[in-house]
Amino acid sequence: MKLYMLALALPLLTACMSMKNVKELPPELVYQPPVSGATATIMGKMEPRHTALVGDRIAYIIDIDGKRVPKERKQEYSATWDNVYPLTTGEHTVTVTYRMAGHYTKPTKLTFNAEASKNYQLDFVTDIGTAWLSKDSYADIWIKDKATGQPVTEVVRTTPPPAPRTISYPIIINNR
């Protein structure tokens, strides 16, 4: 009888265990693009992997003016690097960070003045994930005018969080 009850309860218990306690952010905490008026845009940046064994290098936006950028439920924020976010003209503060495979940096803030009809993009220089024995110590991130390539913010240095951290290198196998 106990075995029978366990067999009946097992699917229910495993279903409850597999459901993560995922709560949606309240709408007032999620970034909403402007509805009307003069706008500009901003997006992250991705540099393709430099070897077949490690991931792409990505600088991405986490929030705009203190409000989280929208993402799909199971999606990581780094997967939103190519989303284009409309902005009103004027001063904005964006929180950005960098990721490459298991390496990442602490979020940092950049403030800039968005001008009408301009497109902006994150840019970065880093030693994280650039070589097998690199120091993995920093990522310098700034915002540039996408059309001219000229920076519109100062360069902000962000660093990985303090140890301990787990570093992984995904292995990509192409079966061609």
Side-chain angles (χ1 to χ4, degrees):
M1 182 67 170
K2 289 181 184 178
L3 188 58
Y4 178 72
M5 292 302 283
L6 180 64
L8 288 176
L10 192 59
L12 179 62
L13 291 173
T14 56
C16 292
M17 288 174 38
S18 66
M19 290 175 43
K20 294 183 179 177
N21 187 11
V22 177
K23 293 183 180 178
E24 295 293 323
L25 286 174
E28 58 272 9
L29 298 178
V30 177
Y31 179 73
Q32 300 296 322
V35 182
S36 63
T39 61
T41 64
I42 189 167
M43 66 181 293
K45 181 180 181 180
M46 186 270 295
E47 289 182 358
R49 61 179 155 255
H50 60 282
T51 69
L53 298 177
V54 296
D56 299 325
R57 293 182 282 211
I58 302 169
Y60 56 98
I61 300 166
I62 298 173
D63 70 44
I64 300 171
D65 297 329
K67 298 189 185 236
R68 287 290 180 142
V69 296
K71 66 179 182 78
E72 297 296 322
R73 181 176 222 141
K74 293 182 180 182
Q75 184 181 47
E76 292 185 22
Y77 279 102
S78 60
T80 65
W81 73 267
D82 59 347
N83 289 0
V84 177
Y85 301 106
L87 302 167
T88 57
T89 57
E91 188 172 279
H92 293 280
T93 300
V94 293
T95 304
V96 300
T97 191
Y98 168 85
R99 181 186 72 76
M100 193 288 303
H103 302 276
Y104 58 94
T105 63
K106 296 180 278 188
T108 191
K109 294 186 184 298
L110 293 167
T111 300
F112 75 107
N113 189 31
E115 296 178 23
S117 302
K118 292 223 175 176
N119 299 310
Y120 300 97
Q121 183 174 24
L122 298 180
D123 206 351
F124 62 90
V125 173
T126 184
D127 74 341
I128 298 175
T130 56
W132 283 108
L133 298 174
S134 67
K135 292 183 181 179
D136 296 335
S137 61
Y138 75 92
D140 289 339
I141 304 175
W142 65 94
I143 298 172
K144 68 179 181 180
D145 181 319
K146 200 170 176 184
T148 65
Q150 295 299 310
V152 296
T153 65
E154 73 283 355
V155 175
V156 176
R157 178 161 284 194
T158 181
T159 59
R165 61 187 173 114
T166 303
I167 299 173
S168 64
Y169 292 95
I171 297 174
I172 299 168
I173 300 171
N174 292 325
N175 294 327
R176 293 181 197 193

